[in-house]
Amino acid sequence: MRKEYLMTPGPTPVPSEVLLAQAKPMIHHRAPIYTEIILEVLDDLKYVFQTKNDIIMFASSGTGGMESAVVNLFSPGDKVLVASTGNFGERWVKISGAYGLDVVKLDYEWGEKANPQDIADALAKDQDIKGVLTTHSETSTGVTNDIKTIGKIVAGYKAVLVVDAISGLGACELKTDEWKCDVVISGSQKALMTPPGLAFTSVSDKAWAVVEKSTLPKFYFDYKTSRDALHKDQPQSPFTPAVSTIVGLGEALKLIKKETLEKVLERHAVLAKACRAGVHALGLELFGASDEMANSVTAIKAPEGIDGQAVVKTLRVKYGITIAGGQGRIKGKIFRIGHCGYYDKFDIVSVMAGLEMALKDLGYPVEMGAAVGAAAEVLYEGISVLS
Ligand SMILES: Cc1ncc(COP(=O)(O)O)c(C=O)c1O
């Protein structure tokens, strides 16, 4: 018998309540029952986004949500500032480039955080910047950016702040309205504990005013089409929505509300802290500026002489634990343990035990139980938020 463990920063395990809800008989998306469901789901998403803004949903992966922000906010040749801290910051550069935007890039070493002061300086120097595009939890490096401070800065300018919170929302604190985030994008398959296939974007009043002026081509991703359909007498999705995934998401959001967002975030903080403690106990180093904000994913430097991909492969093939490797320029140099979403204390204990075994297989000196013990200490301390 072999049990599989999914510990990647997306897709993530899906609770049985969500799976069962998705297996219900199909309903029609123009029927009143769908309206009831979508309105409740959008309301519950607002709770997780901590926003009163409209939320627009698409049947797409998170990248579709990012692309939707670019095509709805900007016009050809518009200048945007991308604060790029890793692979997903680069995605903003690529999407903006594909649509002919003039991209000014703040390029950070992978593993570093974006420095809000650099954004302040860039905006002060160039009043033509129409948008600041950045990443909340940079999944490729395990670093979480200081969106709160960035939001305060951007709010003083005409530029809109666009935040990719695809792996961060629901795992690391993000107060959309209070932090003045104009467009926040997330997806179903990470902390929201639902299969892949849905992208959500919250759109502020400041952003809607900008949407009015945008001339980039769009059709399926047009925010106004989605908003108008939602504001009809019988609110709807303009096109056939991913009905079963939305029904599943509804259950996931109920679970989050039952636990409360506050507790959900605290749980993620304890799990991430336990993971970091376990890693340190093995004498390993975290990659980059991971700190108490980095609660979605833990990125770990592969030890000297051991390929990060070999750690990933050994864990998967021999021990049935799927974690993630490094991406792009840091492939082989790191490995990443995801803990955003449906995870609890014993998931961390399991992955630590597996990591000890896999590293030992690869010739790294391991004192068996060191990582498990260190993680368990933290989990025990935080038990009140975990149970
Ligand atoms: C921070 C971040 N941005 C963007 C994406 C891309 O999302 P998707 O693969 O759903 O298109 C991911 C997925 O890993 C992510 O973690």
Side-chain angles (χ1 to χ4, degrees):
M1 185 266 194
R2 176 184 161 106
K3 200 167 165 189
E4 296 289 331
Y5 298 80
L6 181 60
M7 304 255 348
T8 62
T12 60
V14 177
S16 53
E17 290 90 333
V18 176
L19 293 170
L20 287 169
Q22 289 199 232
K24 283 184 186 163
M26 187 53 58
I27 53 169
H28 197 266
H29 60 288
R30 302 289 174 226
I33 180 71
Y34 177 75
T35 297
E36 257 177 56
I37 291 170
I38 191 67
L39 289 181
E40 190 175 356
V41 164
L42 291 174
D43 247 22
D44 291 351
L45 276 175
K46 287 183 191 182
Y47 169 71
V48 180
F49 273 72
Q50 302 190 56
T51 187
K52 292 198 166 60
N53 295 332
D54 276 322
I55 292 188
I56 306 290
M57 188 187 293
F58 297 111
S60 81
S61 79
T63 305
M66 295 171 77
E67 182 158 344
S68 79
V70 168
V71 298
N72 279 279
L73 293 167
F74 305 115
S75 302
D78 273 357
K79 195 177 278 185
V80 291
L81 180 72
V82 176
S84 172
T85 51
N87 195 38
F88 294 108
E90 288 307 297
R91 191 152 303 176
W92 278 131
V93 173
K94 287 182 188 157
I95 299 171
S96 305
Y99 282 98
L101 303 188
D102 178 3
V103 179
V104 180
K105 192 169 156 193
L106 289 172
D107 204 2
Y108 296 93
E109 273 301 315
W110 288 24
E112 270 182 33
K113 287 188 185 210
N115 180 354
Q117 189 55 47
D118 295 340
I119 294 173
D121 293 346
L123 287 170
K125 203 169 90 191
D126 192 342
Q127 304 288 327
D128 281 343
I129 293 172
K130 299 261 171 62
V132 175
L133 316 183
T134 193
T135 319
H136 177 219
S137 156
E138 177 46 82
T139 323
S140 63
T141 66
V143 161
T144 299
N145 284 309
D146 182 359
I147 301 299
K148 183 179 181 181
T149 305
I150 295 171
K152 251 189 227 154
I153 292 164
V154 181
Y157 292 87
K158 69 174 187 206
V160 281
L161 174 60
V162 184
V163 181
D164 163 3
I166 290 168
S167 71
L169 188 86
C172 316
E173 185 71 273
L174 179 65
K175 299 185 177 184
T176 299
D177 291 357
E178 201 182 308
W179 294 0
K180 310 253 183 282
C181 303
D182 295 303
V183 172
V184 173
I185 300 126
S186 196
S188 51
Q189 80 276 24
K190 302 198 185 236
L192 299 191
M193 307 185 291
T194 302
L198 296 174
F200 330 107
T201 61
S202 71
V203 187
S204 72
D205 289 344
K206 182 176 172 188
W208 279 117
V210 173
V211 166
E212 289 303 328
K213 297 193 195 122
S214 157
T215 62
L216 275 174
K218 50 203 156 271
F219 184 78
Y220 176 75
F221 281 134
D222 194 325
Y223 285 172
K224 287 196 274 183
T225 309
S226 285
R227 181 191 55 188
D228 293 350
L230 274 178
H231 289 262
K232 279 184 175 168
D233 287 347
Q234 187 189 333
Q236 293 189 344
S237 305
F239 312 108
T240 310
V243 177
S244 300
T245 317
I246 291 171
V247 169
L249 173 67
E251 285 307 309
L253 292 167
K254 278 185 195 140
L255 292 174
I256 291 175
K257 273 178 51 182
K258 191 168 163 213
E259 188 177 349
T260 77
L261 182 61
E262 196 186 352
K263 278 255 180 159
V264 167
L265 297 175
E266 281 173 14
R267 169 167 55 81
H268 281 87
V270 173
L271 298 183
K273 190 174 173 195
C275 196
R276 292 193 291 267
V279 164
H280 284 137
L282 287 174
L284 299 176
E285 274 179 64
L286 296 171
F287 179 71
S290 290
D291 57 14
E292 72 288 348
M293 284 164 73
N295 294 337
S296 288
V297 52
T298 299
I300 301 142
K301 276 191 201 166
E304 196 62 39
I306 294 179
D307 185 351
Q309 294 301 104
V311 178
V312 176
K313 189 171 173 194
T314 308
L315 267 171
R316 189 186 64 245
V317 174
K318 192 161 174 195
Y319 299 105
I321 301 177
T322 302
I323 63 165
Q327 297 178 318
R329 65 180 84 148
I330 50 176
K331 191 167 181 172
K333 299 197 175 124
I334 67 163
F335 54 93
R336 295 172 297 145
I337 298 171
H339 33 68
C340 54
Y342 186 48
Y343 292 107
D344 94 337
K345 46 199 173 296
F346 297 117
D347 295 309
I348 301 298
V349 170
S350 300
V351 74
M352 286 299 129
L355 184 59
E356 290 175 356
M357 294 177 195
L359 286 171
K360 196 174 172 84
D361 288 340
L362 294 167
Y364 182 76
V366 171
E367 187 199 322
M368 281 297 185
V372 169
E377 290 287 353
V378 174
L379 296 167
Y380 189 68
E381 239 171 64
I383 206 71
S384 62
V385 284
L386 297 174
S387 37

